[in-house]
Amino acid sequence: MAYDRLYVLFVYYFNIARDYFECHEVMEELWLEEGRSPLYQGLLQVAVGLYHYRNGNAGGAVKLMSAALEKLEGHPDETLGIDLKRLREDGREYLVKLLDPGQKGFAFYDLDIRILDGRLEELVEEYRLHPPDPHEED
């Protein structure tokens, strides 16, 4: 399968750089280019939910993670070379913690997107070895 450069960058920023702001930037560009796909929007919203929680905005995290999970439902468990089923499960677990008053202020932790396709893994690894400059235009 051929992967759009912006999608590969999204996975790199999500899994390796842990830069959820850049995740948002590249996925929003792809989402707009690809006709506003709910799948891409859901992936984008997972990243933005994590970004909000990392920055102390639990309400924003709840809103975005809820919206993300809604948009990611109904897609195949293995989609775009990733384990979407696991991402949905991890997102639901995060949301449960966000909504549980007993978990008030739980320590932020990153989620991972499990890559299933070797080609996607190779492309992400190329960015790990040679990180992109997010401020440089192609």
Side-chain angles (χ1 to χ4, degrees):
M1 175 177 193
Y3 294 99
D4 189 288
R5 181 188 65 81
L6 293 170
Y7 177 68
V8 176
L9 278 170
F10 170 81
V11 176
Y12 162 78
Y13 285 127
F14 196 100
N15 279 359
I16 309 294
R18 303 297 189 185
D19 187 335
Y20 301 115
F21 180 81
E22 286 303 324
C23 282
H24 168 266
E25 294 293 298
V26 297
M27 186 53 87
E28 185 173 60
E29 186 178 336
L30 181 59
W31 176 67
L32 291 170
E33 284 178 10
E34 295 295 320
R36 301 174 188 253
S37 157
L39 175 59
Y40 287 146
Q41 187 178 22
L43 291 171
L44 182 155
Q45 288 174 327
V46 170
V48 176
L50 292 172
Y51 176 82
H52 280 305
Y53 194 63
R54 178 188 275 167
N55 290 298
N57 180 359
V62 166
K63 181 179 174 186
L64 271 293
M65 198 63 76
S66 298
L69 291 168
E70 191 176 296
K71 288 178 183 70
L72 295 177
E73 282 304 321
H75 294 283
D77 290 346
E78 296 181 17
T79 301
L80 295 171
I82 64 171
D83 186 344
L84 190 61
K85 178 182 180 188
R86 180 166 161 197
L87 184 60
R88 285 190 302 251
E89 289 168 353
D90 292 348
R92 280 193 288 273
E93 183 179 309
Y94 218 95
L95 184 58
V96 165
K97 288 179 181 180
L98 286 166
L99 293 170
D100 181 355
Q103 289 281 337
K104 197 178 251 182
F106 72 92
F108 171 84
Y109 63 93
D110 296 300
L111 294 181
D112 290 308
I113 294 174
R114 185 167 165 243
I115 299 172
L116 300 174
D117 182 354
R119 179 64 185 139
L120 178 58
E121 197 162 10
E122 289 170 10
L123 294 168
V124 171
E125 178 66 6
E126 286 176 31
Y127 282 125
R128 188 188 70 75
L129 295 172
H130 308 286
D133 179 351
H135 306 290
E136 188 177 286
E137 292 294 318
D138 292 312

